[in-house]
Amino acid sequence: MFYDQARIYVKGGDGGAGAVAFRREKYVPDGGPSGGDGGRGGKVIFEADEGLWTLADFRYKRQYKADRGEHGQAKNMHGKSGEDMIVRIPVGTVVKDAVSGEILADLVEHGQQTIVATGGRGGRGNARFMSNTNKAPRVAENGEPGEERDLLLELKLLADVGLVGFPNVGKSTIISRISAAKPKIADYHFTTLVPNLGVVDLEDGESFVVADIPGLIEGAHTGAGLGHEFLRHTERTRLILHVLDIAGSEERDPLEDFKIIKDELRQYSPELANRTMLIVANKMDIPGAEENLKRLEEQLGEEYRIFPVSAATGEGLQELVYGVAQVLPEVPVPEIFVKEEEQHRVTHAEAPDRFEITREEDSFVITGQEIEKHVKMTMFDTEDGLYRFQNILKAMGIEKALRAEGIKEGDKVQIAGLQFEWQE
């Protein structure tokens, strides 16, 4: 089964905790602090792999977490950094933040990498806190939590040639005749529910990849039919083969079909509508095809190269393959573009507040990325750690803000899931 979308969760490794230790060496009286720093957490890295062509693996495994850093040790020994996690994804995958919709990366080359979740830094050991006024600090830090986020993966096929057209015009039959692809073929609309890829081998050893894009209908650019689900796969194709039912066997006018699909491509992306296109007049073995072919050539023959074929009998397919092979070297690789509605811009007129205080029943709730990080990195089981955290509250202005909110002795304060009791 072909999967072209997946939602997953990634998390960088947490940093290792710093150590609280003192030198205990012979002939070294009053040894100072020697607690080492924790190691940095590993990163989650996506790497494009041309050997993959589906996101099916992400359907079964949805969480990816890098290794945490090792804790610091005595004698100023720092912890080892966590191993990075390399996650391989198909070439042509767009990586988006599932919450904001921001495009984080677009991996279009084999081996291309992007970091999607950074690891947390290691906590500082007590050797880092020694000062002229505190020669024997008993405080250290926990490691910083690794970055975590929900991601949306969207695969856009990379193919040399894309077959587009209305449902049931013969695209699947054509790809089955010119390549080794074995798509499902039947006499009803939307037989093809997933894109099919086929490799066309030429006698001189050259080859090219063809994608059979599921049928489009009028209104596809708005999502009608299979619209948005598969229109995006045409974005990465160098050459478009517009397949027409030239016999009108579906009681549609092939010239009108051409105009409709061309307009759908244009409304989805003006750049896509201007891509190099050849017309494949299929079903030439059916009565009425010759008359429609003459009309097609009269109206579009000067602008487009037209290949009359019959996928059912094989007539004209060899000429089509050679024609595509002749045109492809002249067609540049398309630039990767992002439609306006997919672009995500974040602007801040001013720096965000460092913290926010809200009331919930009998407690004050403090939120904010900076203060929540301090909570997670503080070792509350040591007196020095608790004293340092109180100084952080003062330095950030949180203590003053709580007093302004009317906090009283014994009131509860919640930060990052921990609850404290206010004492004067």
Side-chain angles (χ1 to χ4, degrees), residues 257-270:
D257 283 0
F258 178 85
K259 294 178 182 177
I260 291 173
I261 297 300
K262 186 72 183 295
D263 189 57
E264 291 302 320
L265 294 176
R266 181 185 60 77
Q267 293 193 63
Y268 180 76
S269 164

Side-chain angles (χ1 to χ4, degrees), residues 327-345:
V327 172
L328 265 181
E330 304 171 2
V331 180
V333 177
E335 293 184 14
I336 303 305
F337 62 92
V338 179
K339 303 192 301 300
E340 278 190 25
E341 59 268 29
E342 286 187 334
Q343 295 176 354
H344 183 80
R345 301 180 179 89

Side-chain angles (χ1 to χ4, degrees), residues 61-242:
K61 183 179 179 182
R62 296 180 180 270
Q63 295 191 357
Y64 296 83
K65 299 179 181 180
D67 291 341
R68 69 168 303 143
E70 292 183 357
H71 301 320
Q73 301 178 46
K75 298 183 180 180
N76 288 311
M77 290 192 293
H78 300 325
K80 181 181 177 182
S81 295
E83 291 287 336
D84 293 337
M85 170 177 276
I86 306 293
V87 181
R88 289 175 171 78
I89 61 177
V91 174
T93 301
V94 177
V95 183
K96 298 180 180 179
D97 186 291
V99 178
S100 69
E102 177 185 4
I103 294 179
L104 306 176
D106 197 348
L107 305 182
V108 295
E109 296 179 2
H110 177 69
Q112 185 178 354
Q113 292 186 340
T114 185
I115 299 172
V116 294
T118 58
R121 71 171 177 85
R124 292 176 291 177
N126 70 328
R128 298 281 192 179
F129 294 94
M130 186 176 68
S131 66
N132 291 332
T133 58
N134 188 359
K135 298 291 187 180
R138 296 181 176 276
V139 60
E141 292 177 326
N142 288 319
E144 180 184 16
E147 183 181 16
E148 54 185 317
R149 66 202 319 171
D150 290 315
L151 299 178
L152 181 64
L153 307 183
E154 184 178 278
L155 176 59
K156 298 181 179 181
L157 290 180
L158 291 172
D160 299 303
V161 180
L163 302 178
V164 302
F166 268 81
N168 211 21
V169 295
K171 299 186 300 297
S172 296
T173 305
I174 289 175
I175 198 173
S176 71
R177 296 294 296 263
I178 65 176
S179 73
K182 302 297 180 186
K184 179 181 178 182
I185 300 172
D187 234 355
Y188 51 86
H189 287 178
F190 300 119
T191 304
T192 303
L193 296 178
V194 298
N196 294 300
L197 282 178
V199 178
V200 180
D201 294 311
L202 304 176
E203 296 174 357
D204 58 0
E206 296 293 322
S207 64
F208 56 86
V209 179
V210 181
D212 163 23
I213 310 299
L216 304 175
I217 63 173
E218 190 169 8
H221 72 280
T222 65
L226 297 177
H228 282 165
E229 291 298 313
F230 298 109
L231 259 172
R232 64 173 173 270
H233 291 303
T234 62
E235 297 177 21
R236 304 290 169 86
T237 59
R238 297 167 57 192
L239 175 67
I240 294 177
L241 295 187
H242 193 146

Side-chain angles (χ1 to χ4, degrees), residues 339-392:
K339 303 192 301 300
E340 278 190 25
E341 59 268 29
E342 286 187 334
Q343 295 176 354
H344 183 80
R345 301 180 179 89
V346 180
T347 57
H348 295 290
E350 55 186 27
D353 294 335
R354 300 178 71 186
F355 62 89
E356 183 179 355
I357 300 176
T358 56
R359 293 291 299 267
E360 286 188 8
E361 298 179 356
D362 61 342
S363 63
F364 293 81
V365 179
I366 303 175
T367 56
Q369 185 175 354
E370 183 179 353
I371 185 59
E372 289 175 10
K373 184 178 76 170
H374 283 303
V375 168
K376 293 174 182 176
M377 296 185 70
T378 297
M379 293 182 175
F380 291 104
D381 54 351
T382 66
E383 187 174 329
D384 284 13
L386 186 58
Y387 177 73
R388 179 172 179 269
F389 181 69
Q390 289 172 335
N391 287 335
I392 290 174

Side-chain angles (χ1 to χ4, degrees), residues 355 357 359 362-366 371 386 389-415 418-424:
F355 62 89
I357 300 176
R359 293 291 299 267
D362 61 342
S363 63
F364 293 81
V365 179
I366 303 175
I371 185 59
L386 186 58
F389 181 69
Q390 289 172 335
N391 287 335
I392 290 174
L393 294 180
K394 287 182 180 179
M396 290 185 63
I398 294 177
E399 183 177 306
K400 182 178 179 180
L402 285 171
R403 293 184 188 279
E405 290 287 335
I407 195 167
K408 301 185 298 293
E409 178 86 17
D411 284 348
K412 301 295 188 296
V413 178
Q414 294 185 39
I415 312 175
L418 295 182
Q419 189 173 83
F420 307 87
E421 184 175 309
W422 181 265
Q423 293 182 350
E424 294 292 347

